[in-house]
Amino acid sequence: MSDPMRILLVGAGGVGSAFAAIAARRDFFEAIVVADYDPARAEKAAAQDDRYVAAQVDASSVESVTALCRDHRITHVMNAVDPVFNMPVFEGAFAAGADYLDMAMSLSTPHPEAPYEKTGVKLGDHQFEAAPAWGAAGRLALVGIGVEPGLSDVFARYAADHLFSEIDELGTRDGANLVVTDDDGNEIFAPSFSMWTTIEECLNPPVIWQDGEWHTTEPFSEPEVFDFPEGIGPVECVNVEHEEVLLMPRWVDCRRATFKYGLGDEFITILKVLHTLGLDRTEKVRVKGVEVSPRDVVAAVLPDPATVGPRMKGKTCAGLWVTGTGKDGEGTPTGPRSTYLYHVVDNEWTMQEYGHQCVVWQTAINPVVALELLATGVWSGTGVLGPEAFDAVPFLDLLTAYGSPWGIKELDV
C-alpha cells in the first residue's frame, strides 16, 4: 500500500482555486497544501476544506518548492502557475522526491534563423531531457494534464485504442461562444484564461507534426471554420502553438497532428497589435525608474480571469477531431471515419455548482481526475509521460462520474 497522497498545489489563481474546489468533494488524498506567492490568495482557496492548509511559495525558486515539499511530506506536486515557472517547480518536486503534474509544459524558443519553418527548442523539450533521471529515480512527471493539453490527449489514446485502425490526423479543436459584459451589459474584452500564457502560445510559431517530423508555420495560419457541438456552432479556428502536437505523436501513431484555436477576429487583431508595439515582450524595460515586463503589464491591466465568471455567459468546448480508417469492436478496419471527441462546459453551471468560471474549471477538473487514478493505482508509471501513455477508459469513466460527461460526434468523411 502506497503512502497517503499529500498534494502541494502551486498556484491559487483561477485554475488553482478551481482545482481546490473540485478536489474538496473527493476523498482520495490526505492533505493539500495550497501555496501561492500571495498568502491571502492561498488562504482563500484553502479555507473551503479541513484537509487544506495555506502556504507561501516562490514558484521561481527550486529551493522554495523543495523546502515546502519536505516540510509537509508531499507526495505529489500539482503545478498550477504560468508555464514560465515550470522548470523550477518541476525541479523542486524532483529534488524533494515527489511526483509531479502540470497542465502546460516547459516553454519553447523559436528557431533563430527560420522560426516559421523549423522548430527551435520545442514545448516540453527541457522536461523530456530529464526523463531518464525521473525514470531512474522511480518517480513520475505527468505533463500536460489540463484540458488542452490533457483531456484532448486522453481522447487521442481512446481514439487509437477503440475507434481507429489507422489515424490520418489528430486535430485538437477548441472553440467557445463565451461573452463577458460590463456592469451595463455591454460586451468587453476580457480573456477567460491567463493573458500571459495566451500571448505566449498565440504569437509563437505554431508547430505541426507531419509525416514523422515537426515543423513550424506562421501564427494564425490555415484558418478553417469548425462547427462545434451543443449550440456553440461554427467558429473560425487558426493554428496556435500547443503541447498536444508535441505530445500525441510520441505515443500515438498518426500522419499529422495540429492544434487550432477559435480566437475570433477581435482577439487576433489585439494580439497582432500587442506584438507590433512590443507589448508581448517578456524582457523588462525601465519605465520612470522601475523595471517592468511589458507582457506583465498587459496581463495586469486586464480583468483577472478568476473574477470574470459572474459576468460571463456561454459554453466552452475542448475536443479532438480524428480522421483516418475506423475499426469495429473486434479491431477490423471499417473504412474512412471522421470523429470529434469533445467536452463542453456551460459557464452558468460551473458558476452555480462550483463558483468558478467554466474555462478555468474545465482545465482544473482533469488533473484532479488524474490524481485520483494515481492514488488508487489505476494509473501508474515512471519517467516523464504525457496523458497518452495511460489507459483512457478509466479516465473518461471517472470524468463522467464527477458529473461532467464527454461526448462523441461522427462527422462527414
Side-chain angles (χ1 to χ4, degrees):
M1 183 74 182
S2 59
D3 294 334
M5 185 175 279
R6 298 177 61 85
I7 302 164
L8 171 61
L9 173 63
V10 182
V15 177
S17 296
F19 175 98
I22 296 163
R25 303 189 183 189
R26 311 301 295 184
D27 61 4
F28 63 86
F29 60 91
E30 181 178 82
I32 295 181
V33 178
V34 183
D36 197 276
Y37 194 72
D38 178 354
R41 202 155 68 161
E43 286 161 11
K44 181 181 178 183
Q48 60 195 305
D49 195 291
D50 292 342
R51 297 168 294 172
Y52 295 1
V53 295
Q56 186 171 23
V57 68
D58 178 359
S60 69
S61 164
V62 174
E63 294 75 19
S64 177
V65 174
T66 302
L68 206 49
C69 287
R70 289 176 174 158
D71 288 348
H72 293 273
R73 308 190 323 277
I74 294 302
T75 62
H76 292 74
V77 173
M78 179 63 233
N79 181 353
V81 289
D82 280 333
V84 67
F85 301 113
N86 268 24
M87 291 313 291
V89 180
F90 178 80
E91 291 167 0
F94 183 78
D99 288 356
Y100 168 90
L101 297 88
D102 65 30
M103 296 169 282
M105 293 166 64
S106 58
L107 296 177
S108 64
T109 305
H111 190 281
E113 282 88 40
Y116 303 130
E117 297 165 17
K118 301 176 182 178
T119 60
V121 176
K122 301 186 298 301
L123 290 171
D125 274 359
H126 295 305
Q127 289 171 300
F128 282 117
E129 285 168 6
W134 282 79
R139 304 249 58 88
L140 171 65
L142 173 48
V143 295
I145 187 62
V147 64
E148 289 173 341
L151 180 56
S152 48
D153 302 80
V154 173
F155 285 150
R157 175 81 273 149
Y158 183 84
D161 288 349
H162 300 282
L163 305 179
F164 286 81
S165 58
E166 287 187 15
I167 293 174
D168 180 26
E169 180 168 351
L170 294 168
T172 308
R173 298 293 183 267
D174 180 304
N177 60 359
L178 297 170
V179 173
V180 179
T181 56
D182 61 18
D183 294 337
D184 298 321
N186 301 309
E187 286 189 30
I188 59 171
F189 179 74
S192 55
F193 204 70
S194 162
M195 189 60 184
W196 197 102
T197 303
T198 302
I199 291 172
E200 177 76 15
E201 64 189 24
C202 291
L203 292 178
N204 274 348
V207 181
I208 291 172
W209 170 264
Q210 180 87 34
D211 296 328
E213 60 183 15
W214 286 290
H215 67 87
T216 56
T217 181
E218 296 268 354
F220 316 120
S221 61
E222 299 181 2
E224 68 179 42
V225 175
F226 190 82
D227 190 4
F228 289 90
E230 298 194 23
I232 295 174
V235 179
E236 185 177 76
C237 299
V238 293
N239 278 321
V240 168
E241 181 192 49
H242 230 252
E243 287 87 348
E244 288 93 328
V245 177
L246 286 313
L247 281 171
M248 291 176 183
R250 296 176 190 267
W251 285 279
V252 180
D253 287 336
C254 62
R255 191 180 70 80
R256 181 174 162 87
T258 57
F259 178 95
K260 292 189 180 183
Y261 194 10
L263 290 168
D265 290 340
E266 180 190 29
F267 208 154
I268 290 173
T269 300
I270 288 169
L271 289 166
K272 287 179 176 177
V273 170
L274 290 174
H275 180 63
T276 300
L277 298 177
L279 293 173
D280 60 326
R281 288 170 51 196
T282 57
E283 303 84 0
K284 290 184 177 180
V285 296
R286 184 169 288 276
V287 181
K288 295 183 178 180
V290 179
E291 286 199 341
V292 293
S293 153
R295 192 186 299 185
D296 286 347
V297 173
V298 171
V301 299
L302 286 168
D304 181 349
T307 66
V308 300
R311 292 181 288 155
M312 191 158 75
K313 290 183 178 179
K315 297 177 181 179
T316 185
C317 178
L320 181 70
W321 181 17
V322 189
T323 57
T325 302
K327 64 182 176 183
D328 60 21
E330 268 67 60
T332 305
T334 57
R337 183 171 187 175
S338 177
T339 305
Y340 186 59
L341 300 92
Y342 65 90
H343 187 242
V344 171
V345 181
D346 189 320
N347 187 69
E348 184 179 0
W349 181 83
T350 60
M351 287 301 300
Q352 183 177 340
E353 187 73 15
Y354 285 88
H356 292 275
Q357 53 102 327
C358 60
V359 176
V360 298
W361 185 93
Q362 186 185 42
T363 305
I365 189 173
N366 296 287
V368 182
V369 172
L371 280 162
E372 183 159 346
L373 293 174
L374 292 170
T376 55
V378 176
W379 276 12
S380 63
T382 59
V384 178
L385 303 177
E388 302 88 347
F390 302 89
D391 185 2
V393 172
F395 187 99
L396 296 173
D397 287 349
L398 191 53
L399 180 67
T400 301
Y402 272 49
S404 191
W406 60 289
I408 186 165
K409 180 181 180 183
E410 296 300 328
L411 306 179
D412 292 336
V413 175

